[in-house]
Amino acid sequence: MKTFQIKNKVFVYSVLFFLVLGGLLITIPNRSYIIIDRLSSYVLDVFGQLYLFAGLFILCFLIVLALSPIGKIKLGNSKPKYSTVSWIAMMYSTGMGAGIVLRAVQEPVYFSQHPGVNIKGSEETHALMMTFYHWGFTAWAFYGLFSLFIAYLLFVKNKNIQLSHLIPHIQNNKVNNSIDLITVITIVFGVVSAAALGVSQIESGISYATETAFNFSLILCICTTVFLAAIISSVRGLSKGIKNLSLINIGLTLVLMFYVFLFSDQASIFLTMVEAIKDLVTNFFTLSLAFSPYDFSKEFLSDWTYYYWAFWLAWAPFTGIFIARISKGRSIRELITGVLLIPSLGSFIWFSVFGDSAFQLINQGAVDINAFNDVFTSIFVFLQQYPLGSVSIILALVLLVGFLITSIDSAIYVLGMFSNLKSIHPSRLHKITWGIGLFVITLGFLVLGQTGRAENTLEAVQKILVISSLFFLFLCFIFMLFFMIDVINQYRNNKHKNDT
């Protein structure tokens, strides 16, 4: 009972922290932004390169682990509860979410026009390669690492989801509480960042489709509706709410992707994708460490790669906990392979279809070269160029809402597990409390992007994510060290039992 009360203090303190922070962002956005801007600049100047190294190291760590005999260790004694299709759908829908719609067109087009370095080959191939790099193996390596940690704690060690359990020799409650509090803070910042961006894009899509300039009241309405739906979905539970929404999201994603694919040059899409994947694999190490010929400027890395790695790291504990929760009964090798390969390939196909089709529209003169500059409206401008454009825009908006609800309700579920540690099925009270807390801090982000000194919500999100994920970056290496010590001992014990 004592432990439960201590951990509930982490829950109470974290909720209070975010309610206060959300209030500050809403009431004094200008002063808040000045502090955030200074802190993020310092972090990038001092620790920016560490993000690159960490991404590559974690990916290599997982590959070696999967190929080793340790990969045979099973995460639980039962058979997998969810089919492979449902498992992949929930994993991808939660891990990528509305981001793949947000960046589907804008990012490939941006890299084709601003490659960041001198390139010898095709601008389009380079653009897709960079997009694959940011959305592929390294992103899912962050997710895979924490899904492995949590699944191992839950189903092998029979512990709860507290990452402090990975460091068994620490007996100090204050240290354990600090680790868990950092984890919760990292999760919340990652989720509300994605939520703020998703709400902003939905508002931009509605404004574009209706040709009407709305005020902040529309953003408030969208944010409230999405969070209310997410809370209801989360209260319904994992199998009824999140699973069904994830399958619907994947279905709508496939419909929208095949719609664009049907009206584009399919051969060009396929060939550009194959070339981009080949370049990514060939240049992965130099690209991951920003070595020549991919020695990008610090400004470029700060705007893109540093931010992305901070974003994936911020999402890693939340997404990792969720993936672990649905991966019971699978082996370490199966978990790592599934997390690294299948979602990455899905992202490659998605961005190839939308990115190369956008290149085609620009090369054909169907749209201006700057038509896709706005990150929030680019997908809607793009879809308008195709037959039944208005219908496809509505479909994209529905997909955005679905992805956003899935991500938020998954986060509510995971955070509820943190605050209700005696059960992997959090109570309604914990879910509703976290839903309200996430809503307040998301609203703070949106106000910061609207009325603060940030040019838009995206800029505010980028800066605060870099700050919030730094402490967690250092914890990653500590977690990996103690995890390896424990898992090697577990493998030896299993081998000894089998031999006898």
Side-chain angles (χ1 to χ4, degrees):
M1 187 67 178
K2 183 179 179 181
T3 302
F4 180 68
Q5 290 174 342
I6 289 173
K7 296 308 175 182
N8 262 336
K9 287 182 180 179
V10 174
F11 163 59
V12 172
Y13 292 155
S14 57
V15 170
L16 289 175
F17 170 79
F18 284 111
L19 288 174
V20 171
L21 179 60
L24 292 174
L25 294 179
I26 293 171
T27 55
I28 50 171
N30 286 315
R31 186 176 295 275
S32 299
Y33 179 76
I34 292 173
I35 297 173
I36 292 170
D37 182 50
R38 290 175 180 174
L39 285 175
S40 64
S41 297
Y42 175 78
V43 170
L44 291 177
D45 288 340
V46 178
F47 301 104
Q49 198 68 24
L50 182 61
Y51 280 98
L52 296 184
F53 171 78
L56 179 60
F57 182 81
I58 290 171
L59 177 61
C60 294
F61 173 82
L62 290 178
I63 293 173
V64 171
L65 199 61
L67 296 176
S68 73
I70 292 174
K72 296 180 181 179
I73 294 176
K74 196 172 181 182
L75 301 167
N77 297 320
S78 62
K79 293 182 178 179
K81 181 178 180 180
Y82 301 100
S83 68
T84 301
V85 173
S86 296
W87 181 56
I88 294 170
M90 286 191 285
M91 178 168 57
Y92 192 80
S93 184
T94 302
M96 292 290 100
I100 63 169
V101 183
L102 181 74
R103 296 288 194 178
V105 173
Q106 183 266 341
E107 185 166 338
V109 171
Y110 178 89
F111 285 134
S112 69
Q113 299 172 358
H114 309 89
V117 292
N118 295 323
I119 58 174
K120 296 180 180 179
S122 164
E123 289 86 358
E124 287 83 0
T125 302
H126 171 81
L128 281 184
M129 180 195 71
M130 289 299 300
T131 307
F132 293 172
Y133 170 55
H134 287 146
W135 290 83
F137 303 122
T138 308
W140 286 95
F142 284 119
Y143 294 169
L145 180 70
F146 284 91
S147 63
L148 178 60
F149 287 164
I150 299 300
Y152 185 77
L153 287 174
L154 285 176
F155 308 128
V156 178
K157 304 300 291 183
N158 294 317
K159 302 283 188 179
N160 57 37
I161 63 171
Q162 295 166 262
L163 289 171
S164 57
H165 286 313
L166 290 170
I167 313 175
H169 304 294
I170 295 180
Q171 302 298 326
N172 190 312
N173 284 330
K174 291 184 178 180
V175 175
N176 288 333
N177 290 346
S178 298
I179 292 173
D180 297 331
L181 184 59
I182 290 173
T183 303
V184 170
I185 289 174
T186 305
I187 291 172
V188 172
F189 273 126
V191 173
V192 299
S193 299
L197 292 177
V199 169
S200 296
Q201 189 179 21
I202 293 170
E203 185 271 337
S204 296
I206 294 175
S207 298
Y208 179 83
T210 59
E211 297 182 351
T212 304
F214 293 95
N215 55 30
F216 190 74
S217 60
L218 178 60
I219 290 180
L220 178 60
C221 181
I222 295 170
C223 189
T224 303
T225 302
V226 166
F227 269 91
L228 183 61
I231 292 172
I232 293 172
S233 175
S234 184
V235 167
R236 284 176 58 83
L238 190 63
S239 297
K240 293 182 179 179
I242 299 173
K243 176 185 174 182
N244 293 336
L245 271 175
S246 298
L247 291 173
I248 292 172
N249 290 341
I250 294 300
L252 291 177
T253 299
L254 292 174
V255 169
L256 190 62
M257 185 176 68
F258 280 118
Y259 161 78
V260 174
F261 183 75
L262 181 65
F263 291 103
S264 302
D265 186 337
Q266 294 91 352
S268 175
I269 292 173
F270 178 77
L271 291 174
T272 308
M273 180 181 70
V274 171
E275 285 297 314
I277 293 176
K278 184 184 73 173
D279 287 353
L280 175 66
V281 174
T282 303
N283 302 298
F284 193 80
F285 282 91
T286 53
L287 189 61
S288 296
L289 296 174
F291 289 164
S292 180
Y294 299 104
D295 47 348
F296 300 103
S297 67
K298 181 175 288 188
E299 182 182 1
F300 180 93
L301 291 171
S302 296
D303 288 342
W304 291 97
T305 311
Y306 292 166
Y307 158 66
Y308 267 126
W309 278 201
F311 196 102
W312 304 138
L313 185 60
W315 264 51
F318 144 61
T319 310
I321 291 169
F322 184 77
I323 293 174
R325 176 69 179 80
I326 64 176
S327 299
K328 184 178 182 180
R330 302 183 186 274
S331 67
I332 288 178
R333 182 172 298 156
E334 186 178 6
L335 174 61
I336 293 175
T337 303
V339 171
L340 289 183
L341 293 182
I342 299 175
S344 294
L345 180 60
S347 294
F348 297 165
I349 296 172
W350 171 270
F351 283 106
S352 295
V353 170
F354 283 86
D356 193 75
S357 298
F359 301 152
Q360 294 172 29
L361 291 175
I362 293 173
N363 294 335
Q364 294 165 3
V367 295
D368 183 75
I369 193 172
N370 298 316
F372 306 124
N373 285 352
D374 191 315
V375 66
F376 294 115
T377 61
S378 59
I379 185 67
F380 306 113
V381 175
F382 170 81
L383 292 173
Q384 192 66 58
Q385 312 308 314
Y386 290 86
L388 301 175
S390 298
V391 176
S392 63
I393 288 175
I394 294 173
L395 179 61
L397 285 169
V398 173
L399 181 59
L400 276 169
V401 172
F403 269 134
L404 202 53
I405 293 173
T406 304
S407 296
I408 295 170
D409 69 14
S410 301
I412 292 171
Y413 193 92
V414 166
L415 289 166
M417 290 171 65
F418 256 101
S419 58
N420 195 16
L421 293 170
K422 288 193 173 182
S423 173
I424 59 175
H425 303 288
S427 68
R428 290 187 177 184
L429 176 61
H430 288 87
K431 293 176 183 177
I432 294 172
T433 302
W434 275 116
I436 295 172
L438 291 173
F439 170 76
V440 173
I441 192 67
T442 299
L443 196 60
F445 268 87
L446 291 167
V447 172
L448 189 67
Q450 290 283 321
T451 62
R453 297 193 178 190
E455 293 181 5
N456 53 50
T457 304
L458 177 61
E459 183 180 342
V461 164
Q462 285 178 321
K463 292 181 181 298
I464 205 164
L465 271 179
V466 169
I467 300 168
S468 65
S469 63
L470 178 63
F471 292 107
F472 208 71
L473 181 62
F474 291 110
L475 283 176
C476 280
F477 297 105
I478 299 174
F479 290 153
M480 281 189 283
L481 173 61
F482 283 98
F483 172 78
M484 282 307 301
I485 294 172
D486 198 283
V487 80
I488 289 173
N489 290 333
Q490 183 71 33
Y491 172 74
R492 288 174 177 172
N493 291 336
N494 291 348
K495 187 176 181 182
H496 178 72
K497 290 179 181 178
N498 293 332
D499 291 342
T500 55

